């Protein structure tokens, strides 16, 4: 049953039915107990009254049993039950002295005094016995339990029949209440169904009940995240198209120069520019893919247990060719122990981009140093270069996508630090950037330990 409306209706109907059955059972048992109590009191009073008539000599013993039919106590019940009492008078010698018209001929009770139950001809009788030693008789007054049960059933029928007839009305009222109670949910569904796919404004239902508010907040939060993702994708696409257009145009220009020139030096220079442009374009495409991967992982768990030393070795290996072309050395001051709480590929991507930036901004002959340290909670990768560093304005905007600093040489795309910052935030770590005293720059990756 996938319908919340149907499920709620069934739950309420079952709950109402359970309450109704519990009430019916309680009424039945309490009515039966009350009727038993009242009728037992009637038996006792009737038996004592007959005994009193015999003791006071106000009636003959033989006819005393017939007097039960005229006692006022009979009028305690409705007409169908007014003659249910039966009376027997037995001598202490064991002979039947007298009985009422409705009384059986067999002895109603064998006990000397008090209440008892006796089965006669397949029917059970409830009997109250009074021992009259002075007159040498036993007065027995009883009624048939079948008649008692009939009385209880009639009382229950009169009580439960109206309640049963009301059940369909209660079911209809429950159904109408469920329909009305879920109406705000229907309004929200209709409002969302009418919306255009590009309409990511928050859903506003001023009269929404408190139970619906968490769902509304969650939907509005999702809309906000989707809008942010779409804006980021639009920005990403626009910047990527712009950044790729320039090097492609340059490649075309250099290729035309190489084809048109007869001078070997000019042609070779143009071809070298094409190779350099291809390298820059290749690096930009790779960084765009890295950024797309980092953005995609923002909605997934990137936590892992990457070996810190392996991350350092993989990152250095991936930039060795770039360092050789730019005549920049790489020095790793010890390999860290333990693991970082990040996916290995993403952690390597973050460190590789930091190393690439350091190599690209270091003059030829310099050395890029990478050092690692660990604490109880974090593993730090610190990368130092001998470049010119950043201005205060560059530091403030360095993490923005496609932002190039004051000292860029055209080789970068402005994506490296944006990629690193996205990965570090997703992994629960952080990136710090700082100028060194004199010259040089330091970038530090703070990874949480696994």
């Amino acid at each position: 049953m996938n319908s919340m409306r149907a499920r709620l209706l069934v739950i309420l109907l079952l709950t109402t039915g359970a309450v109704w059955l519990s009430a019916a059972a309680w009424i039945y048992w309490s009515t039966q107990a009350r009727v038993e109590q009242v009728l037992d009191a009637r038996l006792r009073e009737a038996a004592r009254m007959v005994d009193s008539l015999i003791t006071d000599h106000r009636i003959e013993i033989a006819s005393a049993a017939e007097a039960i039919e005229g006692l006022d106590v009979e009028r305690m019940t409705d007409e169908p039950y007014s003659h249910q009492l039966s009376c027997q008078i037995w001598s202490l010698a064991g002979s039947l002295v007298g009985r009422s018209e409705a009384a059986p001929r067999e002895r109603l009770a064998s006990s000397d005094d008090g209440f008892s139950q006796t089965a006669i001809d397949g029917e059970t009788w409830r009997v109250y016995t009074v021992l009259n030693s002075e007159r040498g008789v036993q007065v027995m007054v009883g009624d048939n339990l079948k008649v008692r049960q009939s009385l209880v059933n009639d009382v229950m029928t009169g009580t439960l029949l109206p309640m049963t007839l009301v059940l369909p009305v209660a079911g209809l009222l429950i159904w109408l209440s469920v329909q009305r109670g879920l109406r705000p949910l229907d309004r929200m569904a209709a409002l969302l169904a009418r919306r255009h796919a590009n309409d990511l404004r928050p859903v506003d239902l001023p009269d929404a009940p408190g139970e619906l508010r968490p769902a509304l907040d969650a939907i509005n939060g999702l809309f906000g995240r989707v809008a942010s993702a779409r804006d980021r994708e639009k920005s990403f696409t626009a910047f990527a198209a712009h950044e790729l257009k320039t090097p492609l145009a340059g490649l075309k220009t250099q290729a035309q120069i190489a084809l048109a020139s007869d001078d070997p030096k000019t042609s070779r220079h143009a071809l070298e520019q094409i190779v350099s442009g291809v390298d820059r374009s290749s690096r930009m495409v790779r960084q765009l893919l890295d950024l797309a991967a980092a953005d995609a992982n923002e909605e997934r768990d990137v936590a892992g247990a990457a070996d810190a030393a392996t991350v350092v070795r993989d990152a250095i290996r991936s930039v060795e060719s770039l360092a050789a072309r730019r005549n920049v050395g790489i020095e790793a001051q010890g390999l860290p122990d333990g693991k970082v709480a990040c996916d290995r590929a993403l952690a390597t991507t973050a460190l590789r981009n930091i190393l690439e930036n350091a190599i690209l901004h270091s003059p030829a002959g310099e050395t890029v140093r990478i050092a690692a340290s660990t604490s109880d909670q974090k593993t730090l990768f610190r990368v130092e270069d001998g470049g010119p560093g950043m201005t205060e304005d560059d530091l403030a905007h360095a993490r923005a996508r496609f932002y190039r600093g004051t000292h860029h040489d055209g080789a970068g795309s402005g994506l490296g630090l944006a990629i690193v910052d996205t990965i570090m935030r997703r992994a629960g770590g952080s990136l710090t950037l700082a100028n060194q005293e004199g010259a040089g720059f330091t970038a530090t990756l703070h990874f949480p330990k696994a």
Side-chain angles (χ1 to χ4, degrees), residues 123-330:
E123 296 182 341
T124 305
W125 291 76
R126 178 74 168 169
V127 183
Y128 188 81
T129 303
V130 177
L131 178 61
N132 192 325
S133 302
E134 180 181 344
R135 303 296 301 273
V137 295
Q138 283 181 306
V139 178
M140 302 177 186
V141 178
D143 57 6
N144 197 322
L145 291 187
K146 184 196 303 183
V147 180
R148 285 194 175 194
Q149 189 60 46
S150 178
L151 174 60
V152 173
N153 291 340
D154 287 349
V155 172
M156 288 297 299
T157 301
T159 303
L160 297 182
L161 183 59
M163 295 174 59
T164 305
L165 295 177
V166 168
L167 276 180
V169 179
L172 177 62
L173 292 177
I174 290 174
W175 182 77
L176 293 175
S177 300
V178 170
Q179 291 291 100
R180 184 175 181 83
L182 294 179
R183 194 171 297 167
L185 191 61
D186 294 334
R187 288 202 305 272
M188 184 179 73
L191 181 62
L192 292 174
R194 291 194 300 268
R195 281 202 168 198
H196 191 271
N198 294 323
D199 187 358
L200 296 176
R201 294 172 301 164
V203 180
D204 185 22
L205 286 178
D207 58 343
E211 291 78 7
L212 195 58
R213 185 58 57 185
L216 275 175
D217 293 341
I219 291 174
N220 290 335
L222 176 62
F223 280 177
R225 293 192 298 272
V226 171
S228 177
R230 293 186 63 175
D231 291 342
R232 188 166 58 243
E233 289 177 0
K234 289 178 181 179
S235 175
F236 176 86
T237 302
F239 278 118
H242 174 74
E243 292 296 325
L244 286 174
K245 182 173 69 174
T246 301
L248 290 177
L251 289 175
K252 181 178 180 180
T253 300
Q254 294 298 328
Q256 290 172 341
I257 292 173
L259 290 173
S261 176
D262 295 329
D263 184 8
K265 290 185 177 181
T266 302
S267 298
R268 180 178 180 82
H269 179 73
L271 292 174
E272 289 175 349
Q273 292 298 315
I274 290 176
V275 171
S276 177
V278 169
D279 288 341
R280 288 195 300 271
S281 299
S282 176
R283 180 170 182 264
M284 178 181 293
V285 170
R286 178 176 53 76
Q287 286 187 323
L288 288 172
L289 293 176
D290 289 341
L291 184 59
D295 284 340
N297 277 283
E298 285 189 6
E299 300 301 326
R300 299 196 296 269
D301 186 11
V302 302
D307 182 72
T310 302
V311 170
V312 173
R313 283 193 294 264
D314 291 346
I316 292 176
R317 191 178 301 115
S318 64
V319 298
E320 284 178 342
S321 59
L322 176 64
R325 289 197 304 269
R326 299 192 57 98
N327 191 25
V328 175
I330 301 176

Side-chain angles (χ1 to χ4, degrees), residues 321-329 356 359-366 409 411:
S321 59
L322 176 64
R325 289 197 304 269
R326 299 192 57 98
N327 191 25
V328 175
E356 283 183 349
I359 292 170
L360 291 174
H361 290 89
S362 293
E366 281 287 342
D409 59 358

